[in-house]
């Protein structure tokens, strides 16, 4: 099969030009296309042609290691704390369910259907706005965009404490979804500005791992709030769940302000780095795939993302994972009460599964970065989650075994999601394709969250066979899709090695024109 048939037609003309450059460049420097004389120069590099093949490499130098540590000290605390509170604010509805919310403003909600709709309302707007907001974020400084999102969702979460009926709570959750919609995909893109493919897995695990911290921390907060007794003569805060929303809503507002002043902007423009450090950061950003310069959107790469079949298969993986994740976030406390625990104890018993899942996810991510392989590890983690659901289906009475299954579910689900984000954080090649493709697969995945929000109605308790069965099947499907994607990436890498030869070590891979279809680009399988 000719290579043109394997590429999107949008890129055929660009590939022809690339091949012409190969013929004219007998020294083997074809991985660097002719620079555009009109392109703006990157900050701090005015004296250099940043597209030149002689670009200095800082790989494995002490300067690079010092820079990575400096970036970690500033980027990881801010982004991890942001994700902690984003996860708390979207999932605290599950804890609020055990603190009187349905009885207070949902007329008791005997069937559980109103609560299901409140839970899924967040994901309606979250899915709808992910793609446009992530593409739009390319046109603004990252710190300003992320700060605005954090202040928005924190304010909304806090105001949810004033909800007085089903429509007000439903609309509040919709607005919450809008503000959080671009955050996850934007941070995924943002990390790719500063970290190489050998570093992304661990950083995404640390970042996404704070969702597990949120699960554990949220359980502890809910346990404490559960034991607060109120003077019924005062109506300012009449129920525990209202205080829960306030406690978990105010911090992201304050953190959003911190984000604006302290989160570094793009590598070529951030004032957090010195001129020398910016030069190293820009070289790192362009090492695996060439980055954009400034606020630009490549329309051809937007189209390429929408026509890339792998993104949709990744969406299927993410669909199954998020179905399980939404189920865990909203219903784990309720499910644990079926093991014989009181409501207060159930809040506390949600903590250990999240702690263990954080440890498992970090272990898998470190192994993934070291091996530069993600697909098979993701498949294995998905199988762990599937086995957890299978235990809940086939072991109806042994509560110790059933509680163990929650460890399998949280560990398998969170680990696979973290690795999926890291996978596509590199494999889409260009910034614009990442800005489009990442929210595409995430939006598809969040449709699974909507499904997961409706799988555990009260009428199905205490066995919840439908919810456990559907989640189990989707986790097995996710494992199969991970294997298919991994094999596809491996085949494509081998084909390019045979057709173009293996890329030179430390050579800059120019992806401005062809994104991940550039002949020198290699996927992480």
């Amino acid at each position: 099969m000719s290579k043109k048939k394997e590429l999107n037609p949008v890129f055929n003309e660009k590939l022809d030009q690339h091949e012409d450059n190969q013929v004219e460049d007998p020294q083997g420097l074809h991985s660097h296309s002719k620079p555009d004389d009109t392109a703006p120069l990157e900050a701090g590099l005015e004296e250099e042609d940043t597209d030149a093949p002689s670009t200095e490499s800082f790989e494995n130098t002490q300067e690079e290691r010092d820079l990575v540590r400096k970036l970690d000290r500033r980027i990881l605390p801010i982004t991890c704390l942001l994700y902690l509170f984003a996860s708390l604010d979207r999932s605290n509805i599950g804890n609020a369910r055990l603190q009187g919310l349905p009885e207070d403003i949902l007329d008791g909600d005997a069937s559980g259907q109103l609560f299901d709709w409140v839970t899924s309302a967040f994901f309606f707007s979250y899915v709808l706005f992910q793609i446009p907001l992530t593409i739009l974020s390319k046109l603004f400084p990252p710190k300003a965009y992320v700060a605005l999102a954090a202040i928005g969702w924190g304010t909304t979460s806090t105001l949810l404490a004033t909800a007085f009926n089903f429509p007000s709570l439903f609309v509040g959750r919709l607005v919450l979804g809008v503000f959080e919609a671009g955050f996850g995909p934007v941070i995924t893109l943002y990390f790719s500005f500063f970290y190489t493919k050998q570093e992304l897995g661990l950083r995404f695990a640390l970042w996404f791992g704070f969702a597990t911290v949120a699960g554990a921390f949220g359980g502890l907060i809910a346990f404490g709030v559960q034991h607060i007794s109120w003077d019924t003569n005062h109506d300012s805060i009449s129920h525990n769940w209202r205080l829960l929303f306030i406690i978990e809503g105010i911090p992201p507002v304050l953190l959003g302000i911190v984000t604006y002043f302290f989160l570094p902007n793009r590598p070529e423009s951030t004032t957090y780095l010195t001129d020398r450090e910016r030069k190293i950061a820009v070289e790192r950003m362009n090492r695996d795939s060439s980055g954009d310069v400034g606020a630009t959107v490549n329309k051809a790469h937007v189209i390429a993302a929408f026509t890339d079949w792998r993104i949709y298969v990744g969406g299927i993986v993410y669909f199954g994972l998020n179905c399980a994740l939404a189920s865990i976030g909203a219903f784990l406390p309720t499910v644990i009460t079926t093991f014989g625990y009181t409501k207060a104890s159930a809040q506390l018993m949600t903590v250990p599964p999240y702690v263990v899942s954080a440890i498992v996810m970090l272990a898998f991510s470190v192994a993934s970065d070291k091996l530069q392989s993600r697909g098979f590890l993701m498949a294995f983690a998905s199988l762990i989650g599937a086995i957890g659901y299978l235990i809940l289906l086939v072991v109806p009475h042994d509560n110790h075994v059933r509680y163990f299954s929650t460890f399998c579910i949280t560990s398998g689900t969170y680990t696979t999601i973290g690795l999926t984000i890291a996978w596509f954080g590199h494999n889409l090649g260009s910034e614009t394709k990442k800005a489009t493709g990442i929210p595409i697969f995430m939006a598809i995945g969040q449709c699974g969250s909507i499904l997961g929000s409706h799988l555990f109605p009260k009428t199905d308790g205490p066995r919840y066979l439908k919810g456990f069965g559907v989640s189990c099947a989707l986790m097995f499907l996710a494992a199969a899709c991970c294997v298919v994607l991994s094999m596809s990436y491996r085949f494509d890498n081998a084909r390019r090695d045979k057709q173009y030869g293996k890329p030179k070590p430390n050579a800059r891979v120019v992806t401005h024109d062809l994104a991940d279809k550039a002949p020198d680009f290699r996927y992480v399988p």
Side-chain angles (χ1 to χ4, degrees):
M1 180 182 293
S2 69
K3 58 191 168 192
K4 277 194 177 184
K5 290 182 180 179
E6 296 173 5
L7 296 177
N8 188 300
V10 173
F11 293 141
N12 283 346
E13 181 179 352
K14 296 292 186 181
L15 183 60
D16 289 338
Q17 295 172 359
H18 183 92
E19 290 171 334
D20 290 342
N21 289 341
Q22 284 181 305
V23 174
E24 296 170 1
D25 187 8
Q27 280 75 34
L29 301 176
H30 61 272
S31 64
H32 304 279
S33 58
K34 182 179 179 181
D36 182 358
D37 293 334
T38 64
L41 290 175
E42 294 167 318
L45 300 178
E46 289 84 354
E47 301 298 322
E48 299 183 30
D49 179 357
T50 56
D51 280 339
S54 59
T55 300
E56 182 181 0
S57 174
F58 299 92
E59 188 167 7
N60 295 323
T61 64
Q62 185 61 44
E63 282 186 295
E64 180 181 36
R65 289 190 288 270
D66 292 342
L67 173 63
V68 172
R69 283 194 290 270
K70 182 175 180 177
L71 292 171
D72 286 343
R73 287 195 299 267
R74 181 61 66 88
I75 292 174
L76 291 180
I78 294 175
T79 56
C80 288
L81 285 174
L82 284 170
Y83 200 69
L84 167 67
F85 288 107
S87 300
L88 283 174
D89 289 343
R90 76 173 65 174
S91 63
N92 57 16
I93 192 76
N95 300 110
R97 188 183 197 183
L98 300 183
Q99 295 180 343
L101 183 147
E103 292 75 18
D104 189 22
I105 61 175
L106 299 180
D107 297 324
D109 191 25
S111 68
Q113 292 183 358
L114 291 179
F115 179 82
D116 293 350
W117 283 111
V118 167
T119 301
S120 59
F122 170 89
F123 299 106
F124 292 145
S125 53
Y126 194 80
V127 169
L128 184 63
F129 285 91
Q130 268 198 333
I131 297 174
L133 286 180
T134 306
I135 295 176
L136 185 65
S137 74
K138 283 273 288 148
L139 303 179
F140 297 93
K143 68 175 185 179
Y145 178 90
V146 175
L148 178 62
I151 293 171
W153 87 61
T155 302
T156 303
S157 180
T158 304
L159 292 176
L160 280 173
T162 66
F164 56 90
N165 58 13
F166 170 74
S168 63
L169 190 61
F170 186 88
V171 171
R173 292 279 294 179
L174 281 175
V175 176
L176 186 67
V178 173
F179 282 112
E180 287 200 30
F183 174 68
V186 167
I187 293 297
T188 303
L189 176 63
Y190 177 77
F191 273 27
S192 71
F193 297 163
F194 293 97
Y195 297 111
T196 66
K197 64 182 180 180
Q198 289 81 15
E199 301 162 349
L200 279 175
L202 178 59
R203 271 69 184 183
F204 278 124
L206 291 170
W207 173 70
F208 186 73
F210 270 72
T212 67
V213 175
F217 192 49
L220 291 173
I221 294 175
F223 178 77
V225 172
Q226 188 87 12
H227 286 82
I228 296 177
S229 299
W230 299 103
D231 185 350
T232 56
N233 293 324
H234 298 281
D235 296 328
S236 57
I237 303 179
S238 58
H239 287 274
N240 300 75
W241 63 269
R242 297 186 188 274
L243 181 62
L244 183 68
F245 286 158
I246 293 172
I247 290 175
E248 296 180 354
I250 292 176
V253 176
L254 303 177
L255 190 57
I257 298 173
V258 172
T259 297
Y260 181 78
F261 289 102
F262 291 98
L263 187 70
N265 267 326
R266 295 176 57 90
E268 69 269 18
S269 61
T270 180
T271 58
Y272 175 59
L273 303 178
T274 65
D275 289 344
R276 178 69 174 179
E277 289 169 337
R278 278 198 297 271
K279 180 178 181 179
I280 300 172
V282 169
E283 185 272 325
R284 284 166 47 81
M285 181 174 69
N286 289 283
R287 185 177 298 165
D288 301 322
S289 57
S290 52
D292 293 341
V293 178
T296 60
V297 174
N298 188 321
K299 294 180 181 179
H301 292 187
V302 172
I303 297 172
F306 276 101
T307 56
D308 188 338
W309 67 270
R310 291 187 177 110
I311 292 175
Y312 296 97
V313 177
I316 295 173
V317 173
Y318 217 60
F319 182 95
L321 299 173
N322 276 278
C323 178
L325 187 64
S327 302
I328 293 168
F331 300 103
L332 184 58
T334 301
V335 170
I336 290 179
T337 60
T338 68
F339 300 165
Y341 296 101
T342 64
K343 290 183 178 181
S345 297
Q347 305 277 22
L348 195 59
M349 295 299 290
T350 62
V351 175
Y354 286 116
V355 173
V356 171
S357 66
I359 296 172
V360 172
M361 180 166 59
L362 285 174
F364 270 69
S365 298
V366 170
S368 175
D369 275 351
K370 185 174 182 178
L371 298 172
Q372 279 300 282
S373 177
R374 309 205 194 279
F376 289 120
L377 289 173
M378 290 166 55
F380 183 62
S382 295
L383 290 176
I384 293 174
I387 290 172
Y389 280 114
L390 190 61
I391 290 173
L392 289 175
L393 283 170
V394 302
V395 181
H397 303 301
D398 190 331
N399 287 334
H400 294 292
V401 175
R402 288 169 66 81
Y403 184 55
F404 167 77
S405 71
T406 64
F407 289 78
C408 296
I409 293 169
T410 53
S411 297
T413 302
Y414 281 98
T415 296
T416 312
I417 289 179
L419 290 176
T420 303
I421 295 171
W423 212 10
F424 284 95
H426 167 76
N427 280 357
L428 296 180
S430 75
E431 288 184 24
T432 299
K433 191 172 182 183
K434 292 174 188 175
T436 309
I438 290 170
I440 287 176
F441 87 77
M442 285 188 172
I444 295 171
Q446 295 302 340
C447 293
S449 300
I450 297 174
L451 174 62
S453 301
H454 293 270
L455 288 179
F456 294 87
K458 282 185 177 180
T459 52
D460 284 0
R463 291 295 308 280
Y464 296 107
L465 294 178
K466 177 178 68 176
F468 296 150
V470 171
S471 298
C472 180
L474 288 174
M475 292 293 282
F476 277 119
L477 177 61
C481 289
C482 288
V483 173
V484 169
L485 280 175
S486 183
M487 295 303 296
S488 169
Y489 285 135
R490 292 173 191 275
F491 174 79
D492 213 334
N493 284 346
R495 179 187 60 78
R496 293 183 192 182
D497 285 346
K498 182 178 180 180
Q499 190 167 359
Y500 302 108
K502 292 187 176 182
K504 295 182 179 180
N506 303 329
R508 180 182 179 187
V509 180
V510 178
T511 59
H512 285 305
D513 293 337
L514 302 175
D516 55 299
K517 301 297 184 182
D520 286 342
F521 184 85
R522 296 296 181 269
Y523 299 105
V524 175

